[in-house]
């Protein structure tokens, strides 16, 4: 069974930072392109960052320059460093396994429970 466990969320003030982690098991981690999604109440789930199996990264325009995605294959873990957080970043953050095809990222649907990020004064 594939398991994805997100952690590291919390409540911060605008301008603050958080580092999210996602530990994967039940899969060949190094063979997967990994992604980070977020979903705010009443809104669509949004891809915010991804990293391919060879380390190529991509970011949504809304987080470019503020978020950094990385992976440690030895620990089966993908990270999302979030700096200069804004209230608009408030959401539940999920990691995903998936793949890139013709520049598009496709999650495979093995979602974890997510981790809550709240940015407010």
């Amino acid at each position: 069974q594939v398991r994805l466990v997100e952690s590291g969320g919390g409540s911060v003030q605008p301008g603050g930072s958080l580092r999210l982690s996602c530990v994967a098991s039940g899969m060949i981690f190094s063979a997967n392109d990994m992604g980070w999604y977020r979903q705010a109440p009443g809104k669509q789930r949004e891809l915010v960052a991804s990293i391919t199996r060879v380390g190529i990264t991509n970011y949504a325009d809304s987080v470019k320059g503020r978020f950094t995605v990385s992976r440690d294959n030895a620990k089966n873990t993908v990270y999302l460093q979030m700096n200069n957080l804004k209230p608009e970043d408030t959401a539940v953050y999920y990691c995903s396994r998936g793949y890139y095809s013709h520049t598009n990222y496709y999650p495979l649907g093995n979602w974890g429970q997510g981790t809550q990020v709240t940015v407010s004064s």
Side-chain angles (χ1 to χ4, degrees):
Q1 58 180 1
V2 175
R3 188 182 182 197
L4 301 171
V5 181
E6 300 94 342
S7 63
S11 297
V12 297
Q13 295 181 335
S17 297
L18 287 171
R19 192 189 195 207
L20 308 184
S21 299
C22 172
V23 180
S25 61
M27 56 182 267
I28 303 174
F29 182 80
S30 61
N32 285 264
D33 301 331
M34 302 297 294
W36 282 99
Y37 288 77
R38 67 186 181 188
Q39 188 168 26
K43 296 187 177 182
Q44 295 278 344
R45 186 168 296 187
E46 173 191 26
L47 178 66
V48 298
S50 62
I51 182 167
T52 73
R53 63 189 70 184
V54 297
I56 299 172
T57 59
N58 193 40
Y59 301 92
D61 288 342
S62 59
V63 307
K64 285 181 179 177
R66 300 188 298 119
F67 290 11
T68 302
V69 63
S70 61
R71 65 192 296 161
D72 186 340
N73 288 349
K75 296 181 178 180
N76 284 3
T77 302
V78 61
Y79 304 95
L80 186 66
Q81 178 67 46
M82 305 186 295
N83 297 326
N84 192 24
L85 284 161
K86 303 176 180 180
E88 309 91 83
D89 297 319
T90 296
V92 178
Y93 284 71
Y94 303 88
C95 70
S96 69
R97 64 189 290 248
Y99 63 94
Y100 262 95
S101 180
H102 301 289
T103 76
N104 295 315
Y105 182 76
Y106 295 87
L108 291 175
N110 301 117
W111 305 104
Q113 292 188 331
T115 185
Q116 176 71 49
V117 171
T118 302
V119 185
S120 63
S121 300

